[in-house]
mmCIF file of all heavy atoms in Angstrom:
data_model
loop_
_atom_site.group_PDB
_atom_site.id
_atom_site.type_symbol
_atom_site.label_atom_id
_atom_site.label_comp_id
_atom_site.label_asym_id
_atom_site.label_seq_id
_atom_site.Cartn_x
_atom_site.Cartn_y
_atom_site.Cartn_z
ATOM 1 N N ALA A 1443 -29.570 -44.951 -26.396
ATOM 2 C CA ALA A 1443 -30.588 -43.979 -26.049
ATOM 3 C C ALA A 1443 -30.740 -43.782 -24.528
ATOM 4 O O ALA A 1443 -30.929 -42.634 -24.083
ATOM 5 C CB ALA A 1443 -31.905 -44.334 -26.618
ATOM 6 N N GLN A 1444 -30.456 -44.815 -23.830
ATOM 7 C CA GLN A 1444 -30.679 -44.777 -22.348
ATOM 8 C C GLN A 1444 -29.417 -44.479 -21.554
ATOM 9 O O GLN A 1444 -29.416 -44.337 -20.359
ATOM 10 C CB GLN A 1444 -31.255 -46.045 -21.897
ATOM 11 C CG GLN A 1444 -32.684 -46.360 -22.286
ATOM 12 C CD GLN A 1444 -33.693 -45.169 -22.079
ATOM 13 O OE1 GLN A 1444 -33.715 -44.688 -20.928
ATOM 14 N NE2 GLN A 1444 -34.375 -44.734 -23.063
ATOM 15 N N SER A 1445 -28.253 -44.303 -22.281
ATOM 16 C CA SER A 1445 -26.972 -43.983 -21.580
ATOM 17 C C SER A 1445 -27.160 -42.545 -21.019
ATOM 18 O O SER A 1445 -27.786 -41.647 -21.560
ATOM 19 C CB SER A 1445 -25.791 -44.003 -22.620
ATOM 20 O OG SER A 1445 -25.980 -43.138 -23.693
ATOM 21 N N ARG A 1446 -26.467 -42.333 -19.923
ATOM 22 C CA ARG A 1446 -26.533 -41.073 -19.166
ATOM 23 C C ARG A 1446 -25.600 -40.045 -19.654
ATOM 24 O O ARG A 1446 -24.485 -40.357 -20.045
ATOM 25 C CB ARG A 1446 -26.359 -41.339 -17.691
ATOM 26 C CG ARG A 1446 -27.421 -42.261 -17.099
ATOM 27 C CD ARG A 1446 -28.699 -41.515 -16.939
ATOM 28 N NE ARG A 1446 -29.828 -42.404 -16.494
ATOM 29 C CZ ARG A 1446 -31.052 -42.008 -16.265
ATOM 30 N NH1 ARG A 1446 -31.418 -40.763 -16.344
ATOM 31 N NH2 ARG A 1446 -32.015 -42.901 -15.928
ATOM 32 N N VAL A 1447 -26.066 -38.781 -19.521
ATOM 33 C CA VAL A 1447 -25.175 -37.620 -19.907
ATOM 34 C C VAL A 1447 -25.063 -36.684 -18.716
ATOM 35 O O VAL A 1447 -25.992 -36.487 -17.875
ATOM 36 C CB VAL A 1447 -25.920 -36.899 -21.052
ATOM 37 C CG1 VAL A 1447 -25.158 -35.619 -21.443
ATOM 38 C CG2 VAL A 1447 -26.120 -37.746 -22.245
ATOM 39 N N SER A 1448 -23.865 -36.210 -18.565
ATOM 40 C CA SER A 1448 -23.566 -35.287 -17.533
ATOM 41 C C SER A 1448 -22.875 -33.990 -18.125
ATOM 42 O O SER A 1448 -22.066 -34.140 -19.152
ATOM 43 C CB SER A 1448 -22.610 -35.865 -16.491
ATOM 44 O OG SER A 1448 -23.290 -36.942 -15.755
ATOM 45 N N GLY A 1449 -23.126 -32.879 -17.521
ATOM 46 C CA GLY A 1449 -22.480 -31.603 -17.971
ATOM 47 C C GLY A 1449 -23.458 -30.738 -18.672
ATOM 48 O O GLY A 1449 -24.666 -30.926 -18.768
ATOM 49 N N THR A 1450 -22.885 -29.539 -19.047
ATOM 50 C CA THR A 1450 -23.705 -28.561 -19.803
ATOM 51 C C THR A 1450 -23.304 -28.536 -21.285
ATOM 52 O O THR A 1450 -22.237 -28.577 -21.685
ATOM 53 C CB THR A 1450 -23.326 -27.214 -19.148
ATOM 54 O OG1 THR A 1450 -23.630 -27.094 -17.768
ATOM 55 C CG2 THR A 1450 -24.174 -26.098 -19.837
ATOM 56 N N ILE A 1451 -24.384 -28.602 -22.046
ATOM 57 C CA ILE A 1451 -24.285 -28.677 -23.459
ATOM 58 C C ILE A 1451 -24.395 -27.391 -24.108
ATOM 59 O O ILE A 1451 -25.282 -26.550 -23.782
ATOM 60 C CB ILE A 1451 -25.417 -29.605 -24.057
ATOM 61 C CG1 ILE A 1451 -25.443 -30.939 -23.332
ATOM 62 C CG2 ILE A 1451 -25.201 -29.834 -25.601
ATOM 63 C CD1 ILE A 1451 -24.315 -31.714 -23.282
ATOM 64 N N ASN A 1452 -23.473 -27.006 -25.043
ATOM 65 C CA ASN A 1452 -23.454 -25.717 -25.748
ATOM 66 C C ASN A 1452 -24.323 -25.946 -26.937
ATOM 67 O O ASN A 1452 -24.116 -26.729 -27.847
ATOM 68 C CB ASN A 1452 -21.972 -25.344 -26.122
ATOM 69 C CG ASN A 1452 -21.937 -23.947 -26.757
ATOM 70 O OD1 ASN A 1452 -22.967 -23.458 -27.316
ATOM 71 N ND2 ASN A 1452 -20.898 -23.246 -26.578
ATOM 72 N N LEU A 1453 -25.437 -25.137 -27.049
ATOM 73 C CA LEU A 1453 -26.416 -25.300 -28.177
ATOM 74 C C LEU A 1453 -26.218 -24.206 -29.294
ATOM 75 O O LEU A 1453 -27.058 -24.200 -30.178
ATOM 76 C CB LEU A 1453 -27.845 -25.102 -27.591
ATOM 77 C CG LEU A 1453 -28.287 -26.159 -26.577
ATOM 78 C CD1 LEU A 1453 -29.635 -25.821 -26.006
ATOM 79 C CD2 LEU A 1453 -28.242 -27.520 -27.128
ATOM 80 N N ASP A 1454 -25.093 -23.496 -29.258
ATOM 81 C CA ASP A 1454 -24.796 -22.553 -30.291
ATOM 82 C C ASP A 1454 -24.740 -23.285 -31.699
ATOM 83 O O ASP A 1454 -25.135 -22.645 -32.680
ATOM 84 C CB ASP A 1454 -23.431 -21.792 -30.040
ATOM 85 C CG ASP A 1454 -23.647 -20.745 -29.001
ATOM 86 O OD1 ASP A 1454 -24.785 -20.113 -28.864
ATOM 87 O OD2 ASP A 1454 -22.746 -20.505 -28.150
ATOM 88 N N ASP A 1455 -24.128 -24.425 -31.667
ATOM 89 C CA ASP A 1455 -23.986 -25.268 -32.920
ATOM 90 C C ASP A 1455 -24.640 -26.580 -32.572
ATOM 91 O O ASP A 1455 -23.876 -27.533 -32.168
ATOM 92 C CB ASP A 1455 -22.540 -25.370 -33.298
ATOM 93 C CG ASP A 1455 -22.353 -26.031 -34.654
ATOM 94 O OD1 ASP A 1455 -23.295 -26.723 -35.094
ATOM 95 O OD2 ASP A 1455 -21.202 -25.994 -35.238
ATOM 96 N N PRO A 1456 -25.916 -26.760 -32.738
ATOM 97 C CA PRO A 1456 -26.561 -28.000 -32.296
ATOM 98 C C PRO A 1456 -26.070 -29.243 -33.046
ATOM 99 O O PRO A 1456 -25.951 -30.273 -32.395
ATOM 100 C CB PRO A 1456 -27.967 -27.757 -32.548
ATOM 101 C CG PRO A 1456 -28.010 -26.635 -33.579
ATOM 102 C CD PRO A 1456 -26.846 -25.782 -33.295
ATOM 103 N N GLN A 1457 -25.683 -29.162 -34.267
ATOM 104 C CA GLN A 1457 -25.210 -30.326 -35.069
ATOM 105 C C GLN A 1457 -23.905 -30.791 -34.482
ATOM 106 O O GLN A 1457 -23.631 -31.961 -34.304
ATOM 107 C CB GLN A 1457 -24.983 -29.992 -36.547
ATOM 108 C CG GLN A 1457 -24.775 -31.138 -37.417
ATOM 109 C CD GLN A 1457 -25.960 -32.084 -37.509
ATOM 110 O OE1 GLN A 1457 -27.123 -31.632 -37.710
ATOM 111 N NE2 GLN A 1457 -25.690 -33.409 -37.457
ATOM 112 N N SER A 1458 -22.912 -29.915 -34.120
ATOM 113 C CA SER A 1458 -21.628 -30.166 -33.501
ATOM 114 C C SER A 1458 -21.893 -30.769 -32.151
ATOM 115 O O SER A 1458 -21.240 -31.736 -31.688
ATOM 116 C CB SER A 1458 -20.776 -28.979 -33.483
ATOM 117 O OG SER A 1458 -20.449 -28.566 -34.770
ATOM 118 N N ALA A 1459 -22.769 -30.281 -31.412
ATOM 119 C CA ALA A 1459 -23.122 -30.749 -30.021
ATOM 120 C C ALA A 1459 -23.629 -32.137 -30.164
ATOM 121 O O ALA A 1459 -23.163 -33.017 -29.323
ATOM 122 C CB ALA A 1459 -24.200 -29.855 -29.416
ATOM 123 N N LEU A 1460 -24.454 -32.546 -31.101
ATOM 124 C CA LEU A 1460 -24.956 -33.819 -31.260
ATOM 125 C C LEU A 1460 -23.837 -34.805 -31.625
ATOM 126 O O LEU A 1460 -23.771 -35.882 -31.151
ATOM 127 C CB LEU A 1460 -26.078 -33.927 -32.313
ATOM 128 C CG LEU A 1460 -26.734 -35.195 -32.563
ATOM 129 C CD1 LEU A 1460 -27.421 -35.686 -31.343
ATOM 130 C CD2 LEU A 1460 -27.713 -35.101 -33.728
ATOM 131 N N ALA A 1461 -22.965 -34.299 -32.560
ATOM 132 C CA ALA A 1461 -21.880 -35.183 -33.024
ATOM 133 C C ALA A 1461 -20.863 -35.467 -31.929
ATOM 134 O O ALA A 1461 -20.392 -36.571 -31.827
ATOM 135 C CB ALA A 1461 -21.180 -34.451 -34.133
ATOM 136 N N ALA A 1462 -20.638 -34.495 -31.075
ATOM 137 C CA ALA A 1462 -19.668 -34.644 -29.943
ATOM 138 C C ALA A 1462 -20.322 -35.645 -28.936
ATOM 139 O O ALA A 1462 -19.608 -36.561 -28.440
ATOM 140 C CB ALA A 1462 -19.425 -33.353 -29.256
ATOM 141 N N LEU A 1463 -21.554 -35.597 -28.676
ATOM 142 C CA LEU A 1463 -22.193 -36.501 -27.803
ATOM 143 C C LEU A 1463 -22.185 -37.889 -28.268
ATOM 144 O O LEU A 1463 -21.991 -38.943 -27.513
ATOM 145 C CB LEU A 1463 -23.715 -36.096 -27.427
ATOM 146 C CG LEU A 1463 -23.900 -34.915 -26.588
ATOM 147 C CD1 LEU A 1463 -25.380 -34.546 -26.507
ATOM 148 C CD2 LEU A 1463 -23.360 -35.253 -25.090
ATOM 149 N N ALA A 1464 -22.405 -38.037 -29.565
ATOM 150 C CA ALA A 1464 -22.405 -39.404 -30.226
ATOM 151 C C ALA A 1464 -20.979 -39.958 -30.168
ATOM 152 O O ALA A 1464 -20.755 -41.136 -29.933
ATOM 153 C CB ALA A 1464 -22.953 -39.249 -31.643
ATOM 154 N N ALA A 1465 -20.034 -39.126 -30.540
ATOM 155 C CA ALA A 1465 -18.676 -39.613 -30.601
ATOM 156 C C ALA A 1465 -18.074 -40.120 -29.212
ATOM 157 O O ALA A 1465 -17.375 -41.157 -29.240
ATOM 158 C CB ALA A 1465 -17.698 -38.426 -31.144
ATOM 159 N N VAL A 1466 -18.437 -39.517 -28.158
ATOM 160 C CA VAL A 1466 -18.030 -39.909 -26.888
ATOM 161 C C VAL A 1466 -18.525 -41.327 -26.572
ATOM 162 O O VAL A 1466 -17.835 -42.069 -25.904
ATOM 163 C CB VAL A 1466 -18.590 -38.900 -25.800
ATOM 164 C CG1 VAL A 1466 -18.469 -39.565 -24.373
ATOM 165 C CG2 VAL A 1466 -17.796 -37.574 -25.861
ATOM 166 N N ARG A 1467 -19.639 -41.672 -27.163
ATOM 167 C CA ARG A 1467 -20.201 -43.003 -26.972
ATOM 168 C C ARG A 1467 -19.880 -43.931 -28.119
ATOM 169 O O ARG A 1467 -20.473 -45.108 -28.200
ATOM 170 C CB ARG A 1467 -21.731 -42.911 -26.794
ATOM 171 C CG ARG A 1467 -22.104 -42.251 -25.492
ATOM 172 C CD ARG A 1467 -23.460 -41.598 -25.561
ATOM 173 N NE ARG A 1467 -23.682 -40.957 -24.203
ATOM 174 C CZ ARG A 1467 -23.110 -39.894 -23.803
ATOM 175 N NH1 ARG A 1467 -22.327 -39.204 -24.601
ATOM 176 N NH2 ARG A 1467 -23.327 -39.379 -22.597
ATOM 177 N N GLY A 1468 -18.891 -43.651 -28.898
ATOM 178 C CA GLY A 1468 -18.515 -44.490 -29.967
ATOM 179 C C GLY A 1468 -19.594 -44.645 -31.172
ATOM 180 O O GLY A 1468 -19.560 -45.636 -31.891
ATOM 181 N N ALA A 1469 -20.475 -43.648 -31.146
ATOM 182 C CA ALA A 1469 -21.620 -43.781 -32.168
ATOM 183 C C ALA A 1469 -21.214 -42.856 -33.399
ATOM 184 O O ALA A 1469 -20.405 -41.981 -33.251
ATOM 185 C CB ALA A 1469 -22.907 -43.411 -31.460
ATOM 186 N N ARG A 1470 -21.933 -43.084 -34.464
ATOM 187 C CA ARG A 1470 -21.801 -42.223 -35.579
ATOM 188 C C ARG A 1470 -23.126 -41.748 -36.084
ATOM 189 O O ARG A 1470 -24.156 -42.424 -35.827
ATOM 190 C CB ARG A 1470 -21.027 -42.914 -36.710
ATOM 191 C CG ARG A 1470 -21.751 -44.189 -37.233
ATOM 192 C CD ARG A 1470 -20.804 -44.980 -38.102
ATOM 193 N NE ARG A 1470 -21.424 -46.196 -38.674
ATOM 194 C CZ ARG A 1470 -22.193 -46.322 -39.703
ATOM 195 N NH1 ARG A 1470 -22.352 -45.140 -40.538
ATOM 196 N NH2 ARG A 1470 -22.722 -47.452 -40.059
ATOM 197 N N ILE A 1471 -23.134 -40.655 -36.822
ATOM 198 C CA ILE A 1471 -24.407 -40.091 -37.285
ATOM 199 C C ILE A 1471 -24.455 -40.220 -38.791
ATOM 200 O O ILE A 1471 -23.565 -39.935 -39.576
ATOM 201 C CB ILE A 1471 -24.466 -38.585 -36.888
ATOM 202 C CG1 ILE A 1471 -24.398 -38.416 -35.424
ATOM 203 C CG2 ILE A 1471 -25.660 -37.962 -37.508
ATOM 204 C CD1 ILE A 1471 -24.331 -36.914 -34.968
ATOM 205 N N VAL A 1472 -25.642 -40.710 -39.274
ATOM 206 C CA VAL A 1472 -25.958 -40.812 -40.667
ATOM 207 C C VAL A 1472 -27.069 -39.913 -40.942
ATOM 208 O O VAL A 1472 -28.131 -39.991 -40.360
ATOM 209 C CB VAL A 1472 -26.250 -42.262 -41.063
ATOM 210 C CG1 VAL A 1472 -26.724 -42.400 -42.531
ATOM 211 C CG2 VAL A 1472 -25.176 -43.240 -40.756
ATOM 212 N N THR A 1473 -26.915 -38.996 -41.888
ATOM 213 C CA THR A 1473 -27.929 -38.014 -42.254
ATOM 214 C C THR A 1473 -28.733 -38.616 -43.474
ATOM 215 O O THR A 1473 -28.141 -38.793 -44.470
ATOM 216 C CB THR A 1473 -27.376 -36.618 -42.540
ATOM 217 O OG1 THR A 1473 -26.612 -36.215 -41.337
ATOM 218 C CG2 THR A 1473 -28.450 -35.688 -42.849
ATOM 219 N N VAL A 1474 -30.004 -38.663 -43.207
ATOM 220 C CA VAL A 1474 -30.872 -39.153 -44.343
ATOM 221 C C VAL A 1474 -31.810 -38.056 -44.757
ATOM 222 O O VAL A 1474 -32.504 -37.448 -43.932
ATOM 223 C CB VAL A 1474 -31.797 -40.367 -43.753
ATOM 224 C CG1 VAL A 1474 -32.691 -40.874 -44.908
ATOM 225 C CG2 VAL A 1474 -30.840 -41.510 -43.234
ATOM 226 N N PRO A 1475 -31.897 -37.800 -46.164
ATOM 227 C CA PRO A 1475 -32.800 -36.787 -46.616
ATOM 228 C C PRO A 1475 -34.215 -36.950 -46.064
ATOM 229 O O PRO A 1475 -34.722 -38.094 -46.036
ATOM 230 C CB PRO A 1475 -32.742 -36.943 -48.062
ATOM 231 C CG PRO A 1475 -31.326 -37.512 -48.306
ATOM 232 C CD PRO A 1475 -31.126 -38.489 -47.189
ATOM 233 N N LEU A 1476 -34.852 -35.808 -45.675
ATOM 234 C CA LEU A 1476 -36.265 -35.797 -45.193
ATOM 235 C C LEU A 1476 -36.310 -36.309 -43.734
ATOM 236 O O LEU A 1476 -37.117 -35.706 -42.996
ATOM 237 C CB LEU A 1476 -37.201 -36.670 -46.089
ATOM 238 C CG LEU A 1476 -37.388 -36.109 -47.559
ATOM 239 C CD1 LEU A 1476 -38.375 -37.049 -48.269
ATOM 240 C CD2 LEU A 1476 -37.870 -34.664 -47.580
ATOM 241 N N LEU A 1477 -35.631 -37.285 -43.371
ATOM 242 C CA LEU A 1477 -35.736 -37.809 -41.944
ATOM 243 C C LEU A 1477 -34.869 -37.022 -41.049
ATOM 244 O O LEU A 1477 -35.247 -36.673 -39.929
ATOM 245 C CB LEU A 1477 -35.383 -39.334 -41.927
ATOM 246 C CG LEU A 1477 -36.453 -40.279 -42.469
ATOM 247 C CD1 LEU A 1477 -35.999 -41.715 -42.267
ATOM 248 C CD2 LEU A 1477 -37.791 -40.026 -41.805
ATOM 249 N N GLY A 1478 -33.582 -36.875 -41.370
ATOM 250 C CA GLY A 1478 -32.667 -36.158 -40.468
ATOM 251 C C GLY A 1478 -31.476 -37.014 -40.084
ATOM 252 O O GLY A 1478 -30.912 -37.720 -40.776
ATOM 253 N N ASN A 1479 -31.125 -36.948 -38.821
ATOM 254 C CA ASN A 1479 -29.909 -37.635 -38.193
ATOM 255 C C ASN A 1479 -30.350 -38.956 -37.576
ATOM 256 O O ASN A 1479 -31.144 -39.004 -36.665
ATOM 257 C CB ASN A 1479 -29.295 -36.760 -37.204
ATOM 258 C CG ASN A 1479 -28.766 -35.477 -37.790
ATOM 259 O OD1 ASN A 1479 -27.807 -35.559 -38.533
ATOM 260 N ND2 ASN A 1479 -29.334 -34.297 -37.394
ATOM 261 N N ILE A 1480 -29.656 -40.039 -38.054
ATOM 262 C CA ILE A 1480 -29.903 -41.343 -37.453
ATOM 263 C C ILE A 1480 -28.554 -41.645 -36.719
ATOM 264 O O ILE A 1480 -27.513 -41.638 -37.435
ATOM 265 C CB ILE A 1480 -30.205 -42.412 -38.488
ATOM 266 C CG1 ILE A 1480 -31.512 -42.028 -39.244
ATOM 267 C CG2 ILE A 1480 -30.375 -43.776 -37.864
ATOM 268 C CD1 ILE A 1480 -31.937 -43.050 -40.315
ATOM 269 N N ILE A 1481 -28.661 -41.872 -35.397
ATOM 270 C CA ILE A 1481 -27.492 -42.111 -34.636
ATOM 271 C C ILE A 1481 -27.273 -43.594 -34.402
ATOM 272 O O ILE A 1481 -28.102 -44.230 -33.875
ATOM 273 C CB ILE A 1481 -27.484 -41.410 -33.254
ATOM 274 C CG1 ILE A 1481 -27.774 -39.917 -33.563
ATOM 275 C CG2 ILE A 1481 -26.269 -41.563 -32.456
ATOM 276 C CD1 ILE A 1481 -27.850 -39.077 -32.195
ATOM 277 N N LEU A 1482 -26.169 -44.139 -34.958
ATOM 278 C CA LEU A 1482 -25.943 -45.553 -34.994
ATOM 279 C C LEU A 1482 -24.831 -45.908 -34.000
ATOM 280 O O LEU A 1482 -23.744 -45.323 -34.077
ATOM 281 C CB LEU A 1482 -25.525 -46.099 -36.306
ATOM 282 C CG LEU A 1482 -26.547 -45.747 -37.474
ATOM 283 C CD1 LEU A 1482 -26.048 -46.223 -38.758
ATOM 284 C CD2 LEU A 1482 -27.887 -46.503 -37.186
ATOM 285 N N ALA A 1483 -25.073 -46.912 -33.157
ATOM 286 C CA ALA A 1483 -24.085 -47.360 -32.190
ATOM 287 C C ALA A 1483 -23.087 -48.214 -32.815
ATOM 288 O O ALA A 1483 -23.410 -49.006 -33.788
ATOM 289 C CB ALA A 1483 -24.741 -48.084 -31.040
ATOM 290 N N SER A 1484 -21.820 -48.204 -32.438
ATOM 291 C CA SER A 1484 -20.807 -49.070 -32.982
ATOM 292 C C SER A 1484 -21.063 -50.528 -32.534
ATOM 293 O O SER A 1484 -21.595 -50.788 -31.395
ATOM 294 C CB SER A 1484 -19.416 -48.637 -32.465
ATOM 295 O OG SER A 1484 -19.172 -47.332 -32.888
#
């Protein structure tokens, strides 16, 4: 959560933007009904 981000994020496809940010950090996204996206670190 506290890792730093640099650059401009494209928000046209927010789910893909989130997935790309997570992947760069070796994290994965688990989607839970009602709650949404839980981002888990490797």
Side-chain angles (χ1 to χ4, degrees):
Q1444 295 305 310
S1445 62
R1446 295 289 171 174
V1447 177
S1448 296
T1450 301
I1451 310 300
N1452 189 331
L1453 299 174
D1454 285 324
D1455 186 344
Q1457 190 68 44
S1458 294
L1460 182 63
L1463 284 173
V1466 167
R1467 288 156 180 77
R1470 60 191 179 91
I1471 299 175
V1472 176
T1473 302
V1474 178
L1476 297 181
L1477 286 182
N1479 296 294
I1480 301 178
I1481 304 177
L1482 302 176
S1484 300

